[in-house]
Amino acid sequence: MSLLTLLPFIVLIGAMFLMTRSAKKKQQQAVEMRNQMQPGSGVRTIGGMYATVKEVNEDTVLVDAGPGVELLFAKNSIGAVLTDDEYNRIVHGVEHDLKSDAGIVPDDASSLTETDDSAADATADDKAVDLGKKDAADEPADDAPAGEAKTDEEPKKTDGDSEAK
């Protein structure tokens, strides 16, 4: 057999090796993360429930999901061990890293509106804008009265009987 015939098989075997190697790495990292769990740390289960670890055993984890609610999970069902800041942010809505008060929305809208001085300047600068429309008073009067011209332009309404059918 020639080398060109074996090349696709060699590439396929190499790709399979790389994929299984990366999957093994991810599994090993997950096992290390689960082994680092200790009582008091916040966790997220693979089902999406957030809880606090109460007790860690060899294959199981006892978690506190709320007041008076203790649940026993398999260690493999823990999806992530969260940092204290991340757990508090997600579960309790607590933010510890507020840099300044500049991004906080005020309780009332008074600070969002213009002051009296800037409003007075804005009204002084406002002028009538010509949008190309003319009022009826600005139009020149025709020889015929407006009522007659209007009747000529509009079609007459009938009872529904028409000669053209």
Side-chain angles (χ1 to χ4, degrees):
M1 293 191 137
S2 70
L3 185 62
L4 288 175
T5 311
L6 293 176
L7 187 63
F9 294 112
I10 294 171
V11 169
L12 183 62
I13 291 171
M16 289 174 49
F17 173 74
L18 290 175
M19 288 204 285
T20 57
R21 185 172 175 230
S22 66
K24 274 188 176 181
K25 263 188 182 178
K26 286 182 182 180
Q27 282 181 340
Q28 189 177 17
Q29 287 175 346
V31 168
E32 288 176 14
M33 178 224 17
R34 291 181 185 121
N35 287 334
Q36 292 176 355
M37 273 189 303
Q38 52 188 340
S41 56
V43 294
R44 182 184 67 234
T45 64
I46 57 174
M49 185 180 71
Y50 293 92
T52 305
V53 176
K54 192 167 187 178
E55 184 180 316
V56 179
N57 298 322
E58 188 174 327
D59 293 331
T60 60
V61 178
L62 183 67
V63 296
D64 183 19
V69 180
E70 293 179 354
L71 303 169
L72 185 65
F73 281 97
K75 245 187 185 179
N76 292 338
S77 66
I78 303 299
V81 177
L82 307 171
T83 63
D84 290 337
D85 289 338
E86 186 178 12
Y87 181 76
N88 287 332
R89 180 183 57 84
I90 292 170
V91 175
H92 303 295
V94 177
E95 292 283 339
H96 289 290
D97 56 345
L98 294 176
K99 304 273 188 269
S100 68
D101 294 339
I104 297 176
V105 178
D107 290 338
D108 62 344
S110 63
S111 63
L112 300 175
T113 59
E114 296 180 343
T115 61
D116 292 336
D117 296 335
S118 61
D121 293 340
T123 57
D125 293 340
D126 290 343
K127 294 180 182 177
V129 178
D130 183 22
L131 298 175
K133 295 182 179 179
K134 295 182 181 180
D135 293 337
D138 294 342
E139 292 181 7
D142 292 337
D143 291 342
E148 291 177 10
K150 193 172 187 180
T151 57
D152 290 341
E153 293 173 6
E154 293 181 8
K156 295 183 180 181
K157 296 183 180 179
T158 61
D159 295 341
D161 295 333
S162 65
E163 295 175 16
K165 288 189 179 181

